[in-house]
Amino acid sequence: MAAVSFHETKNIISGEGGALLVNDPRFAERAEIIREKGTNRSRFFRGQVDKYTWVDIGSSYLPGELIAAFLLAQMEEGTEITKRRLHLWDRYHASLEAVESKGMMRRPIVPADCGHNAHMYYILAENLEKRTSLIQDLHNQGINAVFHYVPLHGSPAGEKYCRVSGDMSVTDDISTRLLRLPLWIGLEEHLDNLLEKVTEVLGSTGIQKA
């Protein structure tokens, strides 16, 4: 089994919620039951039983029809959504090359044999103090730049329930320096102005035009 998130920060969204992927028939029926408030209602709709009833634990995990329709439309356009996000990502990457060359921050590194879906564009600041300053400077320009998640192993639940193997100093360090820049469908029409402000704040002038 695997889980897919459709949270509003993802490439394909429904606001909240997600999907459970099941590739073993032994678990599929119980997943349906848990999703349907602990009932065998799905079997009833397929005509496999003459009535449905409560047979297990569960909750109401079904999306409403409007949310499902909203999500389906994006799934049908998934390839185009990824293409547009990659275009935004590439523009960021090209425009911030000069800033990186001056040692002011580091851009993402994508190995030559790997690909990505442009889920986010981030930079790594020199330290926490510099990142905090950059976030404030960008906000002053009307740009909603944010930091990323607190490492799981350092969170209250992580410390209580999880364990780590080895040194987590790299994770701890990067978590204090990572800064995410806006990346969403529809940003294209604002991108030149956005990149001009971002490069100005980060200490460079001029951007690479589309």
Side-chain angles (χ1 to χ4, degrees):
M1 289 179 279
V4 178
S5 172
F6 299 131
H7 184 261
E8 63 174 326
T9 59
K10 307 304 182 185
N11 292 23
I12 294 176
I13 69 172
S14 64
E16 289 284 358
L20 177 68
L21 310 181
V22 183
N23 66 359
D24 189 328
R26 294 177 301 166
F27 305 127
E29 184 174 344
R30 187 163 190 235
E32 282 187 339
I33 290 170
I34 293 172
R35 181 187 66 169
E36 278 277 19
K37 299 171 278 294
T39 74
N40 58 353
R41 192 164 178 251
S42 294
R43 296 194 69 199
F44 171 69
F45 284 148
R46 290 194 294 266
Q48 295 172 317
V49 292
D50 59 358
K51 60 181 179 296
Y52 72 87
T53 188
W54 282 263
V55 296
D56 204 340
I57 60 172
S59 190
S60 187
Y61 295 115
L62 290 168
E65 290 185 357
L66 287 177
I67 290 176
F70 179 72
L71 180 61
L72 176 61
Q74 292 173 77
M75 288 183 166
E76 291 173 340
E77 295 295 323
T79 299
E80 180 63 21
I81 288 172
T82 300
K83 179 181 177 181
R84 291 174 64 181
R85 293 182 70 95
L86 285 167
H87 171 72
L88 295 168
W89 196 100
D90 290 341
R91 289 286 312 282
Y92 267 128
H93 207 58
S95 296
L96 294 177
E97 183 177 6
V99 185
E100 183 183 49
S101 69
K102 296 180 180 180
M104 297 174 180
M105 57 82 179
R106 203 199 81 185
R107 298 178 300 163
I109 295 174
V110 180
D113 60 340
C114 295
H116 64 93
N117 64 358
H119 171 54
M120 70 173 69
Y121 193 88
Y122 67 88
I123 61 171
L124 290 179
E126 182 180 356
N127 51 47
L128 175 59
E129 181 180 4
K130 182 63 175 176
R131 183 184 73 175
T132 302
S133 176
L134 287 173
I135 289 176
Q136 185 58 56
D137 290 343
L138 290 166
H139 281 197
N140 291 341
Q141 293 288 333
I143 299 170
N144 184 32
V146 296
F147 55 81
H148 202 51
Y149 309 112
V150 173
L152 180 59
H153 70 273
S155 68
E159 292 178 345
K160 182 176 181 180
Y161 299 112
C162 303
R163 65 178 186 270
V164 297
S165 176
D167 181 17
M168 302 299 289
S169 59
V170 173
T171 299
D172 290 328
D173 172 55
I174 289 179
S175 71
T176 64
R177 298 193 289 125
L178 196 151
L179 187 159
R180 293 163 53 191
L181 296 172
L183 203 166
W184 37 270
I185 297 299
L187 185 63
E188 294 93 331
E189 62 181 294
H190 310 287
L191 194 58
D192 284 345
N193 183 50
L194 171 64
L195 289 174
E196 185 173 350
K197 290 181 177 180
V198 167
T199 52
E200 180 182 348
V201 167
L202 294 177
S204 182
T205 57
I207 61 173
Q208 177 171 315
K209 296 291 185 178

